[in-house]
Amino acid sequence: MWPRAMMVLLTPLVMLEPESALRERGSGTASQAVEFVVVAHDDLGVEDLSSEQLRRIFLGERQYWDDGSRILTLIGAPGTAGRTTVLDLIYDMTEAQYREYWIAKIFRTQTTSGPRMLETDAALLSFVSRLPGSIAVVPASPDTDGARILSIDGLKPGAPGYPLRRSPS
Amino acid sequence: MRTAEKLAGLEGSLWHTDRAPTIVIDLLVRIGFYGNVLYMTRAWFVVVGFLLVGSPPVIAQDRGPQTRVLGFTDFGYVAGDGTKDDGFRLGQLVAQASSQLTPRVAFFTELTATRTATGIRFGMERVIFRYDFSDALKLSGGKYHLPISYWNSAFHHGSWLQTTAARPSPIAFSTPLVPVHVEGLLAEGSLPVSDGLLVGYMLGVVDGRGTALAQKYGLDAGPMGANPAGGIAIAADYHRQAYIATVQLRPSALRGLQIGGALYTDRPMNGLGQQVDERTSSVHFVLERDSPEIIVEHTWIQHRETLGGSWTTGTAWYAQVGQRLRGTLDAFMPYARVEGIDVADDDPLLGGIQATQDALVLGVRVDFVSVAALRVEYRRDSMPARDLNRLHVQVSYVFGGLSGG
């Protein structure tokens, strides 16, 4: 019974496709799409993150920077462009799935909290510039208020293939 | 100002530190009203200690200590043939508090209230102090859910988190197959082996089962080792250290995939007063998602008399699959599970106290709101003596949590 049950239950796996670190939703050229940037506190000794590193940070699987300081992940309130992008491209989750994910993670004592939420993208940027160890995703803007913009997979915003790019909705 | 308040804690309906003590005290006053005085005395020590460690000015790098409280409960109706407990069933009321005392020090506790035939029983399910050296090394001490099983760690008393109404029988709360709670020390962590693979581990030394099974199924372990079965005398404080080691692989190529295994060794006493070497190992394959959800676990439970004898091996396993429907039916998630337990009659620890059985579970979960789920679940148990059918209708809730965070 056991091998037969395994075969039946694992059959759906063949329908699953491997996924890239960041969900590929972006389309169009850099001039057409809306870009988002990963911002971190300027004291952070990091210039670049891989897509997978970024995903693990937002999933709470990585909680400390290489210098030993704690990562403080910030996210916008529901409805903000930054939050929509983070849930869509990094988490690949709906609001309900995101909520359940963090409840489960706290219940399993893997963390004591999820990302801190701020009301606006501007507030995210402001706090990242003031809080050591913090990181957030905000719409690209000429004024980053003293926060450091990190490249992703070695790509800076505007570069071809930059992953945090979405078609205007 | 609002933004600063938000930054100080999680948003939404989570209970913030300033409210948590009031709520916890209120909860315990209610518990004390109904509960056992001795137990409450212990509970008050814990809560007072909890509040003391939660309130000193050990400031996290940007904010003070924060405490979150999550709650779970369920209520349902069970009907079946041959069951003595047909009728309405009030599940456990579970309150879990998590507190980040400093950037590296965290405290977790979990209290339960369970309705029994004679009243309400209170339990301290988990109490964990943890210090994080890094992502790769976190040391903790306290009382845990034994990570011998994925299910036991992932869902345990958080019934809303699991898709089904009831736990698999191999990891049921009342099972003698494996301990579900342990006290001890754990080292754990996760290491990114490559950009595409995260490896997690746990290593622990814990108090073993000792005479728990002997007392439940045979011996009356008094101070002088009274033994009606005529075996060797035992002391009431008999126990031996047990050890647990786990490993989990999380490849990023398939989101939600976790493959892992665990090994638990112990030397408990059986109902005849004999020490038994115990070696329990398990493997799991889990897809933590809902399109589809797949959970498969297989456990091998080996025993032999410490003074001599050969190993006997029992097995326990289950495999569960669920699939959330699409479009306008996305609140519905049908699921199925098959379970099996096979223990030899001559198993020196479990023989005679754990029946061999198979089970089939079919059900549907309906997430009618974001904080509650309805399950309608049919279960058929096939045992050597007879088969049992049961229908379980249950609503489970989560309170606290991240409302939109």
Side-chain angles (χ1 to χ4, degrees):
Chain A
M1 185 178 182
W2 166 242
R4 190 172 53 190
M6 282 287 289
M7 286 182 60
V8 170
L9 292 170
L10 299 184
T11 298
L13 274 183
V14 302
M15 299 182 291
L16 300 171
E17 296 176 2
E19 298 165 68
S20 61
L22 295 187
R23 192 176 179 193
E24 293 176 3
R25 282 281 183 85
S27 63
T29 64
S31 60
Q32 295 173 320
V34 178
E35 282 196 335
F36 293 80
V37 294
V38 178
V39 289
H41 189 266
D42 202 36
D43 285 349
L44 185 68
V46 173
E47 301 286 348
D48 178 77
L49 291 172
S50 69
S51 298
E52 189 56 33
Q53 287 173 328
L54 181 65
R55 195 176 74 88
R56 285 183 183 148
I57 286 171
F58 273 89
L59 286 171
E61 292 178 344
R62 179 178 175 185
Q63 299 175 359
Y64 292 91
W65 294 110
D66 288 340
D67 66 4
S69 63
R70 185 151 186 116
I71 298 174
L72 178 61
T73 312
L74 306 176
I75 192 169
T80 58
R83 183 189 183 93
T84 302
T85 299
V86 168
L87 263 61
D88 202 15
L89 299 185
I90 299 178
Y91 282 95
D92 190 14
M93 293 180 188
T94 64
E95 286 284 352
Q97 289 169 333
Y98 172 83
R99 181 173 183 275
E100 182 174 350
Y101 175 83
W102 283 105
I103 289 174
K105 205 160 180 68
I106 293 170
F107 177 78
R108 296 167 189 173
T109 68
Q110 293 167 346
T111 184
T112 56
S113 68
R116 307 311 192 263
M117 189 180 81
L118 297 175
E119 299 287 356
T120 64
D121 290 325
L124 284 176
L125 198 55
S126 171
F127 274 86
V128 165
S129 66
R130 289 155 44 194
L131 292 175
S134 58
I135 185 171
V137 173
V138 297
S141 160
D143 180 11
T144 58
D145 199 18
R148 173 180 300 188
I149 295 177
L150 305 184
S151 59
I152 305 299
D153 296 327
L155 300 172
K156 294 184 180 300
Y162 180 72
L164 293 180
R165 181 179 297 147
R166 310 181 71 217
S167 299
S169 54
Chain B
M1 193 269 287
R2 289 280 300 146
T3 304
E5 287 175 358
K6 290 289 187 185
L7 192 64
L10 280 171
E11 70 291 358
S13 58
L14 269 180
W15 299 348
H16 291 195
T17 306
D18 55 345
R19 285 191 62 207
T22 306
I23 292 169
V24 172
I25 289 170
D26 181 60
L27 176 64
L28 287 169
V29 167
R30 292 166 191 270
I31 289 172
F33 181 75
Y34 296 107
N36 175 297
V37 172
L38 177 61
Y39 185 89
M40 283 311 303
T41 304
R42 295 173 181 172
W44 273 107
F45 273 115
V46 172
V47 171
V48 169
F50 163 71
L51 294 177
L52 286 176
V53 298
S55 56
V58 276
I59 305 299
Q61 63 191 35
D62 56 275
R63 59 204 182 278
Q66 305 160 78
T67 297
R68 327 260 177 243
V69 177
L70 286 173
F72 300 88
T73 192
D74 58 80
F75 177 72
Y77 187 85
V78 176
D81 48 33
T83 57
K84 294 178 293 185
D85 54 354
D86 277 12
F88 291 102
R89 181 175 293 181
L90 181 62
Q92 285 185 315
L93 176 63
V94 181
Q96 185 207 3
S98 306
S99 189
Q100 191 73 45
L101 305 181
T102 77
R104 294 186 183 278
V105 179
F107 174 68
F108 305 90
T109 188
E110 181 181 340
L111 306 174
T112 59
T114 308
R115 182 177 174 274
T116 67
T118 56
I120 298 176
R121 184 180 71 246
F122 300 97
M124 189 179 300
E125 305 294 340
R126 285 186 292 178
V127 179
I128 302 169
F129 275 100
R130 191 176 73 203
Y131 185 89
D132 295 1
F133 291 90
S134 66
D135 287 312
L137 179 60
K138 302 176 180 182
L139 293 182
S140 61
K143 183 175 182 180
Y144 306 84
H145 299 155
L146 183 69
I148 184 65
S149 155
Y150 167 82
W151 192 290
N152 201 45
S153 298
F155 305 126
H156 209 90
H157 299 287
S159 63
W160 175 81
L161 291 170
Q162 66 198 34
T163 299
T164 57
R167 291 160 69 97
S169 49
I171 194 66
F173 286 123
S174 58
T175 184
L177 292 171
V178 293
V180 293
H181 295 103
V182 290
E183 296 173 22
L185 300 171
L186 271 185
E188 60 189 302
S190 59
L191 306 158
V193 172
S194 69
D195 220 23
L197 179 63
L198 193 68
V199 178
Y201 74 91
M202 287 185 181
L203 298 171
V205 54
V206 299
D207 281 347
R209 298 211 260 185
T211 60
L213 289 177
Q215 289 175 305
K216 187 174 181 180
Y217 295 104
L219 296 177
D220 178 15
M224 300 305 293
N227 181 2
I232 60 174
I234 59 171
D237 61 350
Y238 168 90
H239 76 277
R240 279 189 179 272
Q241 250 61 64
Y243 303 92
I244 178 77
T246 75
V247 64
Q248 307 90 37
L249 309 178
R250 297 182 71 92
S252 58
L254 197 53
R255 199 145 308 162
L257 175 62
Q258 177 174 305
I259 300 168
L263 174 65
Y264 172 80
T265 64
D266 195 357
R267 184 172 289 175
M269 182 165 283
N270 67 13
L272 299 175
Q274 300 162 327
Q275 292 183 39
V276 175
D277 290 334
E278 180 173 48
R279 197 165 59 194
T280 302
S281 53
S282 68
V283 294
H284 67 258
F285 175 98
V286 176
L287 204 54
E288 289 180 332
R289 57 203 305 178
D290 52 15
S291 301
E293 173 195 64
I294 298 175
I295 308 174
V296 181
E297 287 201 79
H298 195 287
T299 305
W300 294 266
I301 305 134
Q302 296 181 295
H303 298 116
R304 72 174 178 190
E305 292 178 20
T306 301
L307 294 178
S310 57
W311 289 96
T312 64
T313 301
T315 57
W317 60 272
Y318 69 89
Q320 173 178 309
V321 62
Q323 173 68 47
R324 187 167 294 283
L325 303 183
R326 311 265 181 178
T328 56
L329 295 176
D330 66 352
F332 293 81
M333 186 169 176
Y335 57 84
R337 186 171 70 213
V338 286
E339 307 170 0
I341 298 174
D342 185 9
V343 175
D345 289 339
D346 61 350
D347 185 297
L349 188 71
L350 301 175
I353 63 174
Q354 173 62 62
T356 291
Q357 63 183 82
D358 292 324
L360 169 68
V361 176
L362 298 171
V364 61
R365 173 183 171 126
V366 186
D367 291 275
F368 58 95
V369 293
S370 64
V371 294
L374 167 72
R375 289 113 165 189
V376 180
E377 185 172 296
Y378 164 76
R379 178 183 180 92
R380 180 178 180 83
D381 284 290
S382 301
M383 294 179 281
R386 60 182 302 192
D387 292 344
L388 294 175
N389 298 283
R390 190 174 64 174
L391 182 66
H392 193 170
V393 180
Q394 180 198 70
V395 178
S396 63
Y397 310 86
V398 60
F399 47 96
L402 315 166
S403 63

